[in-house]
Structure formats: structure tokens, C-alpha cells
Amino acid sequence: MPPPDTMYCSQQIHVPPELADILKQYTKAAIRTQPKDLLLWSAAYFSALSQGEALPVKERLELNVATQKTDSGLTPGLLKVLHKQLSPGRTCSKEELEKRWGGLCLPMEQLEKLLALGNFSSDVDWMQFLALGCSSLGGTIVSAMKFACEILTEDDQGGPARIPFDTFTSLYTFLASLDGEIPQDHVAGFLQGLQEEANKQGGMIQVSNFYFVGNEV
């Protein structure tokens, strides 16, 4: 006969005091992030938590992005999560990017297309990859730059979404070079006009400075 089930009383069961808060924070993170594969995302979440790394967690619950060209799964919120995880270094390895991307349950075929489009080697220039990610969210270079400003800004949500003009110039120039249909003199003239606005704002640029003019680019 199998041995009888061991009976425990509440006094015999030790519950780690930090367990309740860990589970509470995990649950809130899962609700905000809405991962497509909860188990896969949970593994990435607790791995990052145990190593003191940036968590694969959105800052807030997102609505569907109506401007996305395809339902790739990538959203501004997820791209911002990747930025927090991978931006401390100027570059990241493809392996690290694949790990973080997979932890957010994003489709690997989408990642492969972005890597091929940027012609990246074993090391990935993170800001250039971010620009490509923004481009995949919007149908135009202007929409891509709007997403970039909103992801990179340190302003509060709903604020002007300011970023350094040098950062804007680097991302915009990179995307324009990949586009191949924007004349160089047009790019130079557009950036020169924005430089004047940035000089008035301490070297910062914001969405309202370029969005209307940018629709002509």
C-alpha cells in the first residue's frame, strides 16, 4: 500500500515573506504586457529578475497600434522595453537581441527581416535597429520618427516628446539613406530647418517641430 498522504498544519508550512510581493508584481507586469506566450515570457521575466536586469515589462497597457503596416506583434511599448534592455551599450550581439526579442514573444521572422534590412554583422548598432523597428510600426519616415521621439523621450507621457537634435539627425539620416528616394538636398534642407528650432529649445527637438513639415518629405 502506498504511504498515506502527509498531513501538514499551517504552523509547519513556511511561506517566504517576499513571495506575496513577487507574485503581485509579476501579475501586474503580465497584465500590462499581455504576452502572447505567458510561459515563455514568464521565463524571461524571472530570469531578468534574478539577475537584476531590466524586466521585459511594458510601462502601461497598450491599445492596438492602428498605423502598423502589418500585425508583426511589435508595438511602441515592446520596442521601448527592448530599448531599456539593450541601450546601455552602443551595440549588442545578435544573440542577445534574439534572446530579448524571444522573451517578449515576438516573431523571429520579423527580427530576421529587420536584421537583413539593416545589413547588420554579428554586432548590432542598437540605435539603428531601433530606427528600423520604428519604421516597421509606421508607414512613413515621419511616422517612424514620431515613434522614435515617443520611445526615446524622457518627458512624461502626453508631453512634447523631446529628444536631442543630434539623436534625431542620426536616426533620420539612417532611415533616409535606406529609403533611397529622398534627395540628399531635401534631407539637408529639412534638417537645417529643424536645427533652427532646436537651437531655440536648448538643442532639443520635438514631434510638433517636424511633423507637419515632415509630411512633405
Side-chain angles (χ1 to χ4, degrees):
M1 294 180 59
D5 293 338
T6 303
M7 300 297 291
Y8 294 97
C9 64
S10 60
Q11 290 80 5
Q12 293 175 290
I13 301 174
H14 173 69
V15 178
E18 65 273 21
L19 179 61
D21 186 60
I22 289 175
L23 294 179
K24 178 181 178 181
Q25 295 304 320
Y26 162 76
T27 302
K28 291 168 63 176
I31 292 172
R32 285 203 308 274
T33 306
Q34 296 288 304
K36 291 186 177 181
D37 186 326
L38 182 60
L39 290 179
L40 179 62
W41 174 83
S42 297
Y45 176 90
F46 285 109
S47 175
L49 183 65
S50 68
Q51 298 179 51
E53 300 172 342
L55 299 175
V57 179
K58 292 181 184 179
E59 292 182 351
R60 59 189 60 84
L61 184 65
E62 281 185 295
L63 298 177
N64 291 332
V65 182
T67 55
Q68 284 185 224
K69 292 184 287 187
T70 60
D71 182 17
S72 66
L74 188 63
T75 69
L78 291 176
L79 198 50
K80 190 166 187 175
V81 171
L82 288 171
H83 180 66
K84 288 182 178 179
Q85 293 178 318
L86 298 170
S87 63
R90 182 179 178 278
T91 63
C92 64
S93 67
K94 282 187 178 180
E95 291 76 12
E96 183 68 10
L97 177 54
E98 289 171 351
K99 173 185 173 183
R100 303 300 184 182
W101 185 275
L104 290 171
C105 311
L106 291 167
M108 296 306 297
E109 59 271 17
Q110 177 72 5
L111 174 60
E112 292 170 1
K113 289 179 181 178
L114 292 175
L115 290 172
L117 182 59
N119 195 28
F120 295 112
S121 60
S122 57
D123 291 328
V124 178
D125 184 302
W126 170 249
M127 292 301 286
Q128 289 184 355
F129 184 87
L130 174 71
L132 290 176
C134 291
S135 181
S136 74
L137 295 174
T140 67
I141 189 172
V142 177
S143 296
M145 293 308 302
K146 176 178 179 291
F147 282 122
C149 286
E150 292 172 347
I151 289 169
L152 296 173
T153 188
E154 295 184 2
D155 294 328
D156 293 335
Q157 185 184 23
R162 295 167 297 180
I163 65 172
F165 178 71
D166 289 346
T167 300
F168 181 95
T169 298
S170 177
L171 298 179
Y172 181 85
T173 303
F174 174 69
L175 289 179
S177 68
L178 289 181
D179 182 274
E181 296 183 359
I182 305 176
Q184 286 297 316
D185 59 343
H186 202 157
V187 173
F190 175 64
L191 292 175
Q192 183 177 357
L194 287 180
Q195 176 75 75
E196 297 174 1
E197 292 298 321
N199 290 341
K200 300 175 184 177
Q201 301 177 49
M204 305 294 284
I205 200 72
Q206 63 190 58
V207 171
S208 61
N209 291 144
F210 71 86
Y211 197 73
F212 177 75
V213 175
N215 277 317
E216 300 175 4
V217 177

